[in-house]
Amino acid sequence: MIYQAFCDIFGAEPEAINRAPGRVNLIGEHTDYNDGFVLPAAIDRAIEFASRRRGGRTVTLHSLDFGDRVEFSLDAIQPDSAHSWSNYFRGVSKYLEEDGYRLSGAEVVFGGNVPRESGLSSSASVEVGAVAMWRKLLGLDLPPRDGILLARRAENQFVGVPSGIMDQFVSALGQRGHALFLDCRDLSYQHVPLREGVRIVVFNSGVKRALAQSEYEVRVQQCRQAVAQLGGVGLAVRSLRDVDRVDLDVHAGSLDELLLKRARHVVSENQRVLEAVRALEQGELERFGELMNESHESLRDDYEVSSRELDTLVELARSQPGVLGARMTGAGFGGCTVNLVRADASETVCEKVQGEYAEKHHHRPEAYIFQASDGAWAGK
Ligand code: GLA
């Protein structure tokens, strides 16, 4: 499809085709920018790229999803607020050049089926896809980890969202049939097989995350403040990753009340990820589901990033037979919930939750049954 689109748009065949998937996070929310643990999976929805070299320094970038096109020079890459969809690609191109990779003019078409503004990381899939595209088109000798960090830099510095490393990492290095257990401090990771007999079901509230960016930034700040206050009473901590439940209990009185709640979420969530990985490895799926449930409560009550719609979707799902666990996923304030559901119940669960939600909210949420899939770097 992307191949044909390129031929139609540019009247020639592309030289390189590549793709990068979105992701769903099973557990480990708001832990990545605290140097903590996460357990996402790459999903079977992706952004595809088709590209061709061209002499000179001009890039023509065509978005199928926006039905729009921009041209920019590699010699003066700036954010473009009138075509903000292009900024992820521009940012990646700028930092590759800055890091000494000489790019060349190109024609590029990209587009795909990762739902946008839904907490499924469509932006990371564009960033990682852009890195993979340049790497393939120009044969760049770019180590995978550098490519992932560069994609994140585009998000943090060029687009201006202070996100962690989770989304770009799993979009690049996810593996079919597996979740990816990542230590966001040293970037060591392990692929953990998902079990037969269960499905990852996602409901999209359809609510765009208006508050998401500003509140996300506030949470990042609050975590830093909590670390500073804990440091102030003599605890040797670089980030909330270094704090355990006992530390937090002992020093609870030295933290502002709100910061204590934020820290309690991060500290307990890190523990839940470790336990969830163990449960998954041992096939204890009910325990895994309980941990997902606890994660949601913590995000709702301590971290305060859920929403009425997400809470409703979680409650409706939990009342269905076959649902092992349900929680909001991604940054919050809208977007999606993720559910671990017994395979034979998954279709019925989708229909029931969609129907019951529609009665309450006059809107039928989309439902997806995702397969964990390969990241952009797979097999490279
Ligand atoms: C967004 C960010 C991630 C992560 C999640 C919350 O998806 O991009 O880095 O912080 O929110 O877990």
Side-chain angles (χ1 to χ4, degrees):
M1 164 236 153
I2 197 75
Y3 177 93
Q4 195 52 48
F6 187 96
C7 297
D8 294 346
I9 289 165
F10 288 114
E13 291 186 6
E15 291 175 319
I17 303 277
N18 65 283
R19 62 186 285 287
R23 66 100 188 92
V24 62
N25 190 16
L26 301 180
I27 195 161
E29 216 66 82
H30 290 276
T31 47
D32 62 351
Y33 53 84
N34 289 298
D35 281 351
F37 304 111
V38 293
L39 187 69
I43 57 176
D44 48 349
R45 298 280 193 116
I47 305 289
E48 296 179 311
F49 288 73
S51 55
R52 185 168 88 110
R53 275 168 298 172
R54 186 170 70 181
R57 299 278 290 160
T58 301
V59 174
T60 305
L61 182 64
H62 188 108
S63 164
L64 293 177
D65 300 333
F66 287 84
D68 201 2
R69 172 191 297 214
V70 292
E71 274 200 352
F72 66 91
S73 163
L74 291 167
D75 294 320
I77 305 179
Q78 298 292 337
D80 178 353
S81 55
H83 305 93
S84 52
W85 57 265
S86 69
N87 286 336
Y88 308 101
F89 189 95
R90 287 172 197 259
V92 163
S93 309
K94 181 182 173 89
Y95 297 135
L96 279 170
E97 283 266 327
E98 257 184 36
D99 285 0
Y101 297 96
R102 181 79 179 161
L103 306 183
S104 80
E107 291 166 335
V108 183
V109 175
F110 75 106
N113 60 2
V114 185
R116 279 200 303 271
E117 292 180 75
S118 301
L120 299 172
S121 290
S122 61
S123 55
S125 56
V126 175
E127 292 150 4
V128 170
V131 173
M133 186 213 91
W134 283 120
R135 198 164 172 246
K136 189 164 183 180
L137 184 66
L138 304 178
L140 303 180
D141 184 16
L142 175 68
R145 187 176 290 208
D146 292 2
I148 294 169
L149 292 172
L150 193 139
R152 179 192 179 188
R153 200 162 124 216
E155 176 91 30
N156 291 172
Q157 292 174 24
F158 198 85
V159 179
V161 180
S163 56
I165 191 67
M166 166 170 70
D167 306 345
Q168 291 81 9
F169 206 96
V170 68
S171 177
L173 286 172
Q175 195 179 88
R176 181 189 294 236
H178 292 72
L180 183 140
F181 170 43
L182 173 66
D183 178 337
C184 299
R185 170 165 279 167
D186 65 10
L187 301 187
S188 58
Y189 64 97
Q190 182 196 334
H191 292 117
V192 187
L194 291 164
R195 295 282 164 161
E196 291 294 316
V198 282
R199 296 281 178 273
I200 301 169
V201 174
V202 167
F203 295 109
N204 190 343
S205 69
V207 177
K208 301 290 178 207
R209 303 170 301 148
L211 267 177
Q213 187 167 339
S214 57
E215 285 294 322
Y216 188 93
E217 287 168 17
V218 170
R219 295 300 178 283
V220 172
Q221 273 313 113
Q222 288 170 336
C223 290
R224 290 193 188 135
Q225 286 164 8
V227 169
Q229 289 191 1
L230 289 169
V233 294
L235 218 59
V237 290
R238 272 200 293 155
S239 63
L240 287 177
R241 154 69 177 277
D242 302 311
V243 181
D244 64 22
R245 286 185 209 225
V246 177
D247 291 334
L248 208 56
D249 283 348
V250 172
H251 296 284
S254 49
L255 277 176
D256 293 353
E257 209 176 312
L258 186 65
L259 299 185
L260 176 62
K261 286 171 75 174
R262 303 300 188 245
R264 194 161 57 205
H265 165 70
V266 175
V267 169
S268 62
E269 185 78 351
N270 276 328
Q271 287 304 313
R272 280 189 287 273
V273 177
L274 296 177
E275 209 193 319
V277 170
R278 190 198 54 78
L280 190 55
E281 283 172 341
Q282 304 196 345
E284 294 170 15
L285 297 175
E286 282 173 8
R287 180 63 191 139
F288 192 97
E290 282 167 15
L291 292 161
M292 291 174 78
N293 291 344
E294 286 170 23
S295 168
H296 185 77
E297 263 91 81
S298 178
L299 287 157
R300 183 191 62 200
D301 301 337
D302 277 346
Y303 220 60
E304 297 180 280
V305 291
S306 188
S307 68
R308 195 168 52 94
E309 294 83 0
L310 293 172
D311 292 343
T312 307
L313 283 169
V314 161
E315 278 156 31
L316 289 176
R318 284 187 195 163
S319 66
Q320 310 298 327
V323 174
L324 296 162
R327 57 182 287 276
M328 55 152 278
T329 186
F333 300 102
C336 291
T337 63
V338 60
N339 308 265
L340 192 69
V341 183
R342 295 208 186 279
D344 53 7
S346 55
E347 302 280 349
T348 317
V349 166
C350 289
E351 271 161 39
K352 289 266 186 174
V353 170
Q354 286 177 303
E356 289 176 25
Y357 186 92
E359 271 174 32
K360 285 194 178 176
H361 289 275
H362 311 293
H363 159 76
R364 195 175 160 86
E366 281 190 31
Y368 322 105
I369 302 179
F370 287 137
Q371 306 284 338
S373 65
D374 282 335
W377 268 223
K380 308 229 164 61

